[in-house]
Amino acid sequence: AMDPNPGTFPLLSYVMSRLPSLTPKPAAAANSDSDHFDIEQPRAPEIVGQMPHLADPDLVASMGRAVSQVDQARSVLKLIGERPTHEEVDNARARQAEKERERREWAEREKRVWKSVLQLDEMHEAYEKVVREAEKRLVKMYEDRDVGVGDGDGDGVGEEVNEEVVGILQEAYGKGMERVNLSGRQLRLLPEAFGRIPGLLVLDLSSNQLSAIPDSIAGLQNLEELNLSSNLLESLPDSIGLLQRLKLLSVSGNKLTALPDPICQCRSLVELDVSFNNLSYLPTNIGYELPNLQKLMIQLNKIRSLPSSICELKSLRYLDAHFNELHGLPIAIGRLTSLEVLNLSSNFSDLRELPETFGDLTNLRELDLSNNQIHALPDTFGRLDNLTKLNLEQNPLELPPLDIVNQGVEAIKTFMAKRWIEILLEEERKSNQEMQEQEQGGWLTRSTSWLKNVSGNVMGYIGTTVASPMTPKSPRDAYLDQQL
């Protein structure tokens, strides 16, 4: 969203909500339909109660002038459109680079489309930077006014390396231990000896206060299980891709906004848990590089779309994507033929339909689609023979009808299977009817049909060139002229 979140940017959100009252407007302007100031307003009494100087109109007016550029940038971005997905940006970069190495003339015509995607992403990135800097500026202005508040930076407790932990790691190195558990020790830093235990197979660093993992993690060449859940990580090092034997990785409950692309090089991964973070996308090529992945947990993030490569995870048996912002599934989702459990619940207003290939998930046993905006199940739904557990609650379902839904999963499958058979029979009947008409009509019918096809092709050709300004007109086909 382009509106500063009151939870993340409380001061900025509050000040922008107050902008209309800072300067008097002419009557005509006051009655206009402009939505120039439509920031979600935080609960004013709550923030004013926490920051009493916000009652000073002069301070708020100064703050308003200080953040005017945020509102201007936001207005421009609202006109231009939403930020493209990470996969769209990745593909745009890749295709742009590829075409620049190939035919120069064709690349010049095509790259305008991709360039616009990249420029739009850069503008959104610049806007986010403006928002962050504005919030910092407002906090400083408030703190400068509130002279009674100290400016201590903390006492530094926990910054020094824990001697007990150093001892544990040294003992593990000396004895060649395979398992080390450092969970719940309030660690903020990892000691130098961290990456020097070559025989280590299992490392548990969960429930600490780690804000970073050093590159030396690459030294744990034989590591098979790594638990980094419930820390303060905002990123993972690229060197994590060197853990070629890693089978289980959990980074649940951190502050990750993205996963490093090299994570796709952990080809032995069987289970990956990145739930409860701030991810808005997954690495574009994640599905091409993880042939052994069986369990993928991405719930409780802000993911808007899944990369199309995810359809290549042929070993995937369990996928949990609930509580995200998914706008749909990749068209080829049916290629996940090993999938047994799928949770797509609580994507709320974003998830409205499922692709027709959904019926190819023939090993699916459990499916949760609750709390979405799905109006109709795909026609192929009746082919999910192994489905025994289904949750469709809190959807505006029209197909199948409510009385069928209330009868349970078997009734739903039977209804959708009968519907699918009727669709196939109707298509076959139409096909047979067309064949009979052609046989009965003889030469005249076939000639008329041929002429209709040729005309259709010509119209399609014209429509393509007219509807797509980026598509260059092809040279006129002399043979087509001759036939017409």
Side-chain angles (χ1 to χ4, degrees):
M2 285 179 276
D3 294 344
N5 188 311
T8 310
F9 304 102
L11 262 178
L12 178 61
S13 181
Y14 174 77
V15 170
M16 291 186 70
S17 73
R18 304 288 296 170
L19 282 177
S21 64
L22 296 180
T23 53
K25 292 184 178 181
N31 295 326
S32 70
D33 294 329
S34 170
D35 62 347
H36 194 54
F37 303 105
D38 60 354
I39 295 292
E40 180 185 351
Q41 295 197 17
R43 287 171 290 183
E46 182 178 324
I47 191 169
V48 172
Q50 295 170 353
M51 299 181 169
H53 293 306
L54 289 178
D56 181 352
D58 292 336
L59 173 62
V60 176
S62 298
M63 287 179 163
R65 289 190 292 273
V67 300
S68 61
Q69 59 180 325
V70 175
D71 185 62
Q72 293 168 4
R74 175 179 164 275
S75 300
V76 172
L77 286 177
K78 289 192 78 171
L79 289 173
I80 294 175
E82 293 188 0
R83 185 171 187 166
T85 66
H86 180 66
E87 183 176 10
E88 288 171 337
V89 175
D90 267 9
N91 288 340
R93 286 200 179 99
R95 292 194 66 189
Q96 184 179 27
E98 176 186 344
K99 288 294 180 179
E100 283 175 356
R101 289 192 301 267
E102 294 176 358
R103 297 166 297 169
R104 185 63 59 180
E105 288 185 14
W106 179 249
E108 286 301 318
R109 287 192 293 265
E110 288 281 296
K111 72 177 181 181
R112 281 178 290 178
V113 179
W114 313 320
K115 190 175 180 181
S116 66
V117 173
L118 298 177
Q119 287 176 336
L120 182 54
D121 184 66
E122 288 170 1
M123 292 182 71
H124 277 274
E125 184 67 36
Y127 172 68
E128 287 187 2
K129 184 178 179 182
V130 169
V131 169
R132 287 193 298 269
E133 291 177 349
E135 178 71 10
K136 290 179 182 177
R137 199 156 52 243
L138 295 183
V139 170
K140 188 176 187 309
M141 289 176 69
Y142 185 86
E143 289 177 348
D144 289 346
R145 173 63 189 266
D146 198 354
V147 293
V149 177
D151 57 353
D153 292 327
D155 56 9
V157 174
E159 291 298 332
E160 294 182 2
V161 172
N162 188 307
E163 293 299 325
E164 181 188 3
V165 171
V166 173
I168 292 173
L169 293 175
Q170 288 176 343
E171 182 184 5
Y173 176 76
K175 294 184 178 180
M177 291 172 60
E178 294 184 348
R179 307 175 70 93
V180 169
N181 186 345
L182 296 174
S183 177
R185 294 177 177 268
Q186 296 186 329
L187 292 178
R188 296 189 184 183
L189 294 173
L190 286 174
E192 193 67 27
F194 158 68
R196 299 178 186 166
I197 314 174
L200 198 61
L201 299 181
V202 179
L203 177 59
D204 189 348
L205 294 168
S206 62
S207 302
N208 283 294
Q209 299 173 31
L210 297 172
S211 57
I213 301 297
D215 282 325
S216 58
I217 193 174
L220 305 177
Q221 292 292 319
N222 294 301
L223 197 64
E224 295 181 359
E225 296 183 24
L226 177 58
N227 189 349
L228 299 172
S229 63
S230 301
N231 276 284
L232 303 173
L233 300 175
E234 296 184 2
S235 64
L236 294 174
D238 287 348
S239 60
I240 200 166
L242 298 174
L243 301 180
Q244 295 292 300
R245 298 188 180 182
L246 194 64
K247 293 180 180 178
L248 273 66
L249 173 61
S250 175
V251 289
S252 175
N254 280 281
K255 298 182 177 182
L256 300 175
T257 56
L259 297 176
D261 286 336
I263 203 170
C264 300
Q265 297 167 15
C266 299
R267 295 181 60 83
S268 298
L269 270 180
V270 174
E271 183 174 321
L272 176 59
D273 186 351
V274 296
S275 61
F276 215 152
N277 280 284
N278 292 314
L279 301 176
S280 56
Y281 58 87
L282 296 176
T284 300
N285 295 322
I286 189 169
Y288 300 131
E289 307 292 339
L290 301 179
N292 301 303
L293 194 66
Q294 295 182 22
K295 199 169 184 179
L296 177 58
M297 288 158 284
I298 59 175
Q299 69 269 25
L300 290 153
N301 279 287
K302 299 175 182 177
I303 297 172
R304 292 174 55 84
S305 63
L306 298 175
S308 53
S309 71
I310 207 168
C311 303
E312 304 304 319
L313 293 172
K314 296 301 173 59
S315 300
L316 195 65
R317 298 170 61 182
Y318 182 102
L319 174 58
D320 190 345
H322 81 271
F323 261 108
N324 276 285
E325 300 173 10
L326 290 178
H327 282 59
L329 299 177
I331 294 175
I333 194 72
R335 295 170 66 91
L336 297 177
T337 50
S338 297
L339 199 61
E340 297 177 5
V341 178
L342 176 59
N343 190 342
L344 296 171
S345 70
S346 301
N347 281 276
F348 300 107
S349 61
D350 299 307
L351 189 58
R352 298 178 176 274
E353 61 180 359
L354 303 173
E356 286 298 316
T357 61
F358 201 84
D360 294 333
L361 301 175
T362 50
N363 279 310
L364 201 60
R365 292 186 292 103
E366 299 181 16
L367 175 62
D368 193 341
L369 295 173
S370 59
N371 290 298
N372 290 304
Q373 286 294 313
I374 297 173
H375 289 262
L377 296 179
D379 292 329
T380 57
F381 196 87
R383 292 162 53 189
L384 303 177
D385 292 333
N386 291 305
L387 192 64
T388 56
K389 190 175 180 181
L390 175 62
N391 189 349
L392 294 174
E393 294 176 2
Q394 302 299 316
N395 278 287
L397 264 181
E398 298 171 4
L399 181 71
L402 188 59
D403 60 323
I404 299 294
V405 173
N406 291 336
Q407 295 177 40
V409 61
E410 291 303 322
I412 293 172
K413 287 197 298 182
T414 300
F415 177 88
M416 297 303 294
K418 286 181 179 178
R419 176 181 168 83
W420 179 242
I421 292 172
E422 290 171 0
I423 290 172
L424 293 179
L425 289 175
E426 178 63 17
E427 289 180 356
E428 185 179 2
R429 187 190 66 77
K430 286 183 179 180
S431 178
N432 290 338
Q433 184 178 352
E434 289 177 2
M435 288 178 63
Q436 288 176 3
E437 288 176 354
Q438 287 190 10
E439 289 174 1
Q440 292 171 359
W443 177 86
L444 181 59
T445 304
R446 286 194 295 273
S447 300
T448 306
S449 175
W450 174 85
L451 186 58
K452 188 193 299 182
N453 288 338
V454 171
S455 302
N457 291 337
V458 173
M459 290 306 293
Y461 166 81
I462 294 172
T464 300
T465 55
V466 170
S468 306
M470 293 295 184
T471 307
K473 290 188 178 181
S474 306
R476 192 170 178 84
D477 193 327
Y479 175 76
L480 190 59
D481 287 342
Q482 179 183 348
Q483 294 295 319
L484 288 174

